[in-house]
Amino acid sequence: MDYSLPKLSHCNHVSVLSPQICKKDFEGFKKLFHRFLQVKGPSVEWPKINRPPEDSIQPYEKIREKGLPENVANSLNKLVVVKLNGGLGTSMGCKGPKSLISVRNENTFLDLTVQQIEHLNKTYNTDVPLVLMNSFNTDEDTRKILQKYTHHRVKIHTFNQSRYPRINKESLLPVAKDMGLVGESADGWYPPGHGDIYASFYNSGLLEQLIAEGKEYIFVSNIDNLGATVDLHILNHLVSQPNGKRCEFIMEVTDKTRADVKGGTLIQYEGKLRLLEIAQVPKAHVDEFKSVSKFKIFNTNNLWISLAAIKRLQEQNAMDMEIIVNPKTLNGGLNVIQLETAVGAAIKCFDNALGINVPRSRFLPVKTTSDLLLVMSNLYSLEAGSLTMSEKREFPTTPHVKLGSSFTKVQEYLIRFESIPDMLELDHLTVSGDVTFGKNVSLKGTVIIIANHGDRIDIPAGSMLENKIVSGNLRILDH
């Protein structure tokens, strides 16, 4: 069977997609596709997996003990903050980029990011720029919104990650018939995962430009991780390394809990620190991978990476990341596959790579409305774009919140809360069915509220529920 790729006609995407970019995307896809055809069997041999050596994952406290230098500004001026901004808000029932969802006091993920960096630049009189890696899904909407930050003290750059064709699972041929993003070809394309950052950043010319401006490191994180703020101690650790032992890549990891069993973990493999994702684990070992006792940490996707090293590895064609095969079913029922890579998987290509075991507070992702409830509540206080756990909470862990399907979409979720409950003393909340919350409700301990099918539960304004199970039908009628 001939798996050569059909010739696709010209680019007719927004003006930023020049023919050169299209050509580079296509080259990148061809390389990935050929690797996919050649790879046989799992990408890791289980017996070769070892725990990372002690010194390869440092506790954050040890990094912090070094203190900060007199002139923090020198280090900050070598830094660029990069946010992965390719995702849509569809899983939370929103149209457009996820970064434009309001998460706190009408502030979006993007607003909070800009506020954080502006605060740094004003406090230390520095010039830390923000770079957004958009996808063809988010680029246009994001660019429109960026105009509102023109008077903020933050330079904002954007570049687009690649656009690759989805592949028919049976024929292994591209689904798209042309380069268009509307009509029947709209489903034919996808952004190939955040591992694409290296090639896209390099191809955009922005990497070269930032190096020329004296920038040395990027801090990369997901835009929906509200814990991923610039940490001056980690930055100082990077910048103060002796030249011969310069660390080119730091991955922030944190202790696994039972909620994190699917997160990628760091292993030692063939003498190198390497990221092991659940997709690479042979089926027989999945339970072992998920166990909290053998693999104690997971990757937060907060990464600190040397710009010069990215440039070197791109030019040497030495960036090697395992392929993640992501199966999807399109609206018409067609089974396709997307070939993707993960940014952290490149850790094995960099010199003197290091893991830092950071506090859990550095990992605060908002993937669902259950997460949104936590960050909107009084558990967190907001200052200069950063969320910190309230000092009034007596223990540092976040409550476990599970909201049912009636809360999945942001619009529905907002209608169901007249105001966000007081959750300072909450351990666990499960809500299922048609439930609404009045103003000034307070939740403590373990609270389970289950409205059976056809029933509705209205939690009255001012209620205090402590270690309660509420079920059946509780409707408060105005009269």
Side-chain angles (χ1 to χ4, degrees), residues 13-47:
H13 179 35
V14 286
S15 55
V16 289
L17 265 191
S18 67
Q20 289 83 354
I21 294 280
C22 274
K23 192 163 178 277
K24 283 178 172 162
D25 279 5
F26 213 60
E27 296 289 306
F29 174 71
K30 230 161 57 176
K31 264 188 353 204
L32 196 62
F33 187 67
H34 285 299
R35 273 180 56 211
F36 163 69
L37 293 178
Q38 286 159 3
V39 171
K40 297 282 175 279
S43 56
V44 290
E45 292 174 41
W46 200 254

Side-chain angles (χ1 to χ4, degrees), residues 168-184:
N168 182 315
K169 197 175 176 187
E170 300 306 316
S171 68
L172 291 189
L173 289 171
V175 175
K177 299 291 182 279
D178 59 44
M179 297 298 291
L181 285 171
V182 289
E184 59 180 60

